[in-house]
């Protein structure tokens, strides 16, 4: 359930109001850290509709309790609430102060006597006013620290929190124009903060913020300097400052950007400060991400190396397959040619798996496109002068990369076996069908998904006998008339796929080979 569901249930509020609250809660850790206090998002249990309200706007019913929809704790100071407040009800005098702030649309300071049932600290109540009506109330509960003289940094942090609360009260923060970039490496208050005036000059720079710019090559101090001009003089990897970075350094747009120097990198985030329609300055958060980017580069290099290895293995296997093809042409024995042809088909099957792995590096691989080509290749290689059609039903989706080779080899052998023995010198059809069963439990007690692969031919059939093998019995020596291919299939199904194989007569003739394979439970992305 979304925390904005109570809001959505009131007809006077729309989806835009709920989305704005989601933006606020997604970013209000910044506000909690700057204000050194806990944030509660409160909404009344009972609301008087705008049509029935004396103010013409939705207001809480007299005496209504308020429900806490969300809670954030500061990382810059102690929490005011030892328990999670989400789902708690605020009543009595505290609810009356919340209602007063809601109706008046003004930021209010609750007295300790009014808020004592909730917390024993300084409480600021901020009605969130959007389109002329309050949609929720935020409370900031902080320790006023009257027993000591606050530092310059603490004063600037609290002033910045007050500015953001004022903007939230006016409905101008958070800004819908903020980009939804990846949060990896996103700067936080403790990483470093600068406060800029309307012209882009630095009014305040935290020690961590100054350290970040020093690593980028800054000489001297930042206070009083124009940040955009300073950045243009830094030894950056790219000369100058591009047009997307300039608005962030000037604090004019609520965007994120990155400065990459010769020896260091830093992410930046600008939060413009406004008084009504006028921009009065900006907050700029910065974070040294040098080590993070170095690790990212190592991962990219590692991924590229792995892809290149798969690509080279694929090329080598294709070379082996070509050599086997050349050798088979020089063979005078039909049995020798058949053996080399089977070996060539198996090597080609493994090469196709490595080709797929060379295109993407992940824990699983999209198996569908690969197996469609593999089925056609196996049929073409095994059939001599026959017209054999192939049909594929269902989808494998994504399979674990470590199991892809085993599945490809098993399907390759069974399709070839269906053509060579099931159809044997006649035309026909080979069908591959895939079904899934989710959330089963393996013998080891782990959750797994079961994939059932059926390969059916409409050939001469195998009689009424049903043969099923799994576990230890699959490792038996080959029986009379059984080739290397079936021994490979039995071994791979039992060992690598943790499953079983069953041969049975088809419902309308022919033979069906049914493989039951078990894979670790995972999302079925890519399945059609």
């Amino acid at each position: 359930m979304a925390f904005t569901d109570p809001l959505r249930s009131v007809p006077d509020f729309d989806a835009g109001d709920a989305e704005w609250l989601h933006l606020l809660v997604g970013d209000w850790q910044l506000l909690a850290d700057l204000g050194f206090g806990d944030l509660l998002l409160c909404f009344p249990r009972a609301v008087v509709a705008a049509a029935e309200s004396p103010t013409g706007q939705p207001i809480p019913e007299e005496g209504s309790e308020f429900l806490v929809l969300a809670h954030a704790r500061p990382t810059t100071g102690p929490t005011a609430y030892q328990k999670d407040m989400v789902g708690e009800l605020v009543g009595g005098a505290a609810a009356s102060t919340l209602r007063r702030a809601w109706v008046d649309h003004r930021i209010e300071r609750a007295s300790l006597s009014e808020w004592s049932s909730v917390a024993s600290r300084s409480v600021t109540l901020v009605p969130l006013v959007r389109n002329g009506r309050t949609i929720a109330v935020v409370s900031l509960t902080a320790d006023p620290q009257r027993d000591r003289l606050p530092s310059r940094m603490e004063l600037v942090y609290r002033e910045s929190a007050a500015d953001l609360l004022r903007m939230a009260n006016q409905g101008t923060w958070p800004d819908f124009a903020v980009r939804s970039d990846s949060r990896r490496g996103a700067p936080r208050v403790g990483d470093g903060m600068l406060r800029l005036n309307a012209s882009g000059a630095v009014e305040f720079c935290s020690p961590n913020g100054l350290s970040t710019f020093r690593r980028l090559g800054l000489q001297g101090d930042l206070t009083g300097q124009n940040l955009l001009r300073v950045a243009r003089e830094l030894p950056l990897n790219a000369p100058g400052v591009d047009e997307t970075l300039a608005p962030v350094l000037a604090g004019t747009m609520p965007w994120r950007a990155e400065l990459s120097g010769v020896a260091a990198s830093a992410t930046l985030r600008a939060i413009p400060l406004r008084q009504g329609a006028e921009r009065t300055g900006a907050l700029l958060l910065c974070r040294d991400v040098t080590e993070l980017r170095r690790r990212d580069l190592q991962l990219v290099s590692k991924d590229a190396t792995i892809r290149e290895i798969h690509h080279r293995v694929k090329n080598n296997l294709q070379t082996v397959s070509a050599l086997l093809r050349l050798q088979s042409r020089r063979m005078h024995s039909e049995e020798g040619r058949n053996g080399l042809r089977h070996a060539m088909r198996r090597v080609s099957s493994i090469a196709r798996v490595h080709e797929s792995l060379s295109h993407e590096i992940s824990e699983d691989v999209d198996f569908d496109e690969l197996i469609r080509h593999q089925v056609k290749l196996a049929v073409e290689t095994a059939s001599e002068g026959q017209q054999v059609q192939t049909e594929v039903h269902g989808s494998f989706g994504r399979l674990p990369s470590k199991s892809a080779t085993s599945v490809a080899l098993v399907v390759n052998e069974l399709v070839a076996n269906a053509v060579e023995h099931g159809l044997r010198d006649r035309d026909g059809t080979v069908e591959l069908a895939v079904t899934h069963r989710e959330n089963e439990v393996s013998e080891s007690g782990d959750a797994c998904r079961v994939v059932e692969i059926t390969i059916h031919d409409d050939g001469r059939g195998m009689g009424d006998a049903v043969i099923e093998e799994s576990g230890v019995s699959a490792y038996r020596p080959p029986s009379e008339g059984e080739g290397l291919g079936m021994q490979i299939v039995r071994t791979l199904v039992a060992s690598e796929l943790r499953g079983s194989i069953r041969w049975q007569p088809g419902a309308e003739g022919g033979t069906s080979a049914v493989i039951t394979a078990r894979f670790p439970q995972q999302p079925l992305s890519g399945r059609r």
Side-chain angles (χ1 to χ4, degrees):
M1 182 179 85
F3 73 88
T4 53
D5 282 353
L7 181 81
R8 295 175 188 271
S9 65
V10 179
D12 291 307
F13 303 120
D14 55 32
D17 297 324
E19 182 60 28
W20 190 70
L21 286 185
H22 277 287
L23 282 176
L24 174 72
V25 171
D27 209 20
W28 72 346
Q29 186 61 54
L30 162 72
L31 188 54
D33 291 342
L34 289 173
F36 300 94
D38 289 65
L39 296 173
L40 302 181
L41 181 68
C42 304
F43 190 78
R45 294 292 302 277
V47 179
V48 178
E52 303 172 3
S53 169
T55 63
Q57 298 172 356
I59 60 173
E61 286 186 4
E62 191 73 40
S64 171
E65 295 178 310
F66 277 72
L67 176 68
V68 178
L69 302 181
H71 179 193
R73 292 184 173 89
T75 60
T76 52
T79 181
Y81 305 98
Q82 297 302 318
K83 67 176 181 178
D84 183 22
M85 294 295 291
V86 175
E88 296 292 323
L89 293 176
V90 178
S96 297
T97 60
L98 287 168
R99 185 180 186 277
R100 185 170 67 244
W102 180 296
V103 173
D104 293 343
H105 292 185
R106 292 198 305 266
I107 298 176
E108 297 197 13
R109 181 68 61 85
S111 66
L112 292 181
S113 61
E114 291 174 317
W115 204 260
S116 60
S117 61
V118 184
S120 58
R121 295 187 181 185
S122 171
V123 178
T124 303
L125 303 179
V126 183
L128 304 177
V129 182
R130 188 169 183 268
N131 297 328
R133 69 215 194 292
T134 303
I135 61 173
V137 179
V138 167
S139 71
L140 172 64
T141 306
D143 188 346
Q145 298 288 348
R146 295 190 180 92
D147 57 341
R148 64 175 178 82
L149 186 66
S151 65
R152 164 71 172 155
M153 184 171 73
E154 184 176 342
L155 290 173
V156 172
Y157 277 18
R158 291 186 185 275
E159 180 186 358
S160 301
D163 287 336
L164 292 178
L165 287 173
R166 174 180 46 77
M167 292 170 61
N169 172 244
Q170 298 171 352
T172 58
W173 184 82
D175 193 332
F176 274 112
V178 65
R179 291 181 175 177
S180 56
D181 301 333
S182 169
R183 290 187 177 271
R184 179 172 170 79
R188 301 153 297 192
V189 170
D191 297 321
M193 193 196 85
L194 289 73
R195 186 173 173 114
L196 312 180
N197 62 19
S199 62
V202 179
E203 293 182 333
F204 168 80
C205 181
S206 71
N208 284 345
L210 181 59
S211 297
T212 297
F213 277 87
R214 288 278 179 84
R215 292 187 184 98
L216 288 169
L218 172 71
Q219 301 295 324
D221 199 1
L222 271 175
T223 304
Q225 298 195 58
N226 182 280
L227 189 61
L228 183 56
R229 191 176 301 118
V230 168
R232 285 177 175 144
E233 297 173 356
L234 294 176
L236 304 179
N237 287 334
V241 175
D242 62 40
E243 59 185 13
T244 60
L245 183 57
V248 175
L249 291 168
T252 58
M253 294 299 294
W255 294 348
R256 291 194 183 99
E258 185 162 331
L259 272 176
S260 296
V262 176
S265 296
T267 54
L268 308 174
R269 181 198 173 186
I271 305 162
L273 301 177
R274 292 184 172 87
Q275 180 70 48
E278 181 185 358
R279 189 176 65 84
T280 59
L283 302 180
L284 190 76
L285 304 181
C286 57
R287 178 182 179 184
D288 182 0
V289 291
T290 306
E291 287 303 308
L292 185 63
R293 294 296 176 257
R294 186 180 66 83
R295 289 194 294 269
D296 286 344
L297 184 60
Q298 288 178 338
L299 288 175
V300 170
S301 300
K302 180 180 178 181
D303 288 349
T305 301
I306 293 174
R307 282 196 295 269
E308 179 63 20
I309 290 172
H310 283 302
H311 181 70
R312 293 188 183 187
V313 169
K314 182 263 296 184
N315 289 342
N316 290 339
L317 290 173
Q318 287 180 334
T319 302
V320 172
S321 181
L323 292 174
L324 291 174
R325 185 182 299 109
L326 291 173
Q327 185 64 40
S328 68
R329 292 172 182 171
R330 303 173 64 90
M331 296 289 293
H332 300 292
S333 166
E334 185 64 27
E335 182 180 359
R337 281 199 296 271
N338 285 337
L340 289 176
R341 190 164 60 247
H342 291 325
M344 180 182 67
R345 188 184 67 240
R346 290 161 187 153
V347 171
S348 297
S349 177
I350 299 173
R352 281 192 171 275
V353 175
H354 281 282
E355 182 178 17
S356 293
L357 293 173
S358 70
H359 295 311
E360 58 175 314
I361 296 297
S362 62
E363 294 296 323
D364 47 35
V365 61
D366 188 351
F367 201 71
D368 289 309
E369 193 64 28
L370 181 151
I371 205 62
R372 290 177 188 274
H373 288 293
Q374 190 61 44
V375 169
K376 292 181 179 179
L377 176 65
V379 167
E380 291 171 2
T381 307
S383 59
E384 293 185 0
Q386 301 165 255
Q387 295 295 323
V388 180
Q389 303 295 322
T390 60
E391 295 181 7
V392 178
H393 307 285
S395 171
F396 283 91
R398 301 189 72 87
L399 296 183
S401 55
K402 64 181 181 180
S403 304
T405 299
S406 299
V407 177
L409 281 173
V410 167
V411 171
N412 174 74
E413 294 298 333
L414 290 176
V415 169
N417 188 67
V419 174
E420 293 177 352
H421 301 286
L423 296 178
R424 187 179 295 178
D425 302 328
R426 67 169 69 181
D427 298 341
T429 302
V430 175
E431 298 180 28
L432 170 66
V434 185
T435 58
H436 298 261
R437 299 199 303 270
E438 303 301 324
N439 300 321
E440 294 201 5
V441 180
S442 65
E443 294 180 357
S444 61
D446 299 325
C448 66
R449 65 178 175 122
V450 177
V451 178
E452 191 172 85
I453 308 165
T454 302
I455 296 171
H456 173 73
D457 66 77
D458 55 1
R460 66 188 66 213
M462 56 174 288
D464 296 330
V466 175
I467 304 172
E468 182 166 359
E469 294 184 292
S470 62
V472 177
S473 65
Y475 298 102
R476 62 174 175 77
S479 58
E480 184 178 353
E482 185 179 68
L484 175 61
M486 287 304 99
Q487 189 175 9
I488 291 174
V489 168
R490 287 189 286 101
T491 303
L492 287 177
V493 169
S495 60
E496 299 296 327
L497 305 182
R498 300 185 300 164
S500 63
I501 182 168
R502 182 175 71 255
W503 286 271
Q504 63 189 28
E508 299 180 359
T511 304
S512 294
V514 183
I515 304 104
T516 301
R518 292 177 174 81
F519 303 101
Q521 187 69 53
Q522 62 181 8
L524 303 180
S525 57
R527 185 183 305 173
R528 295 184 290 273

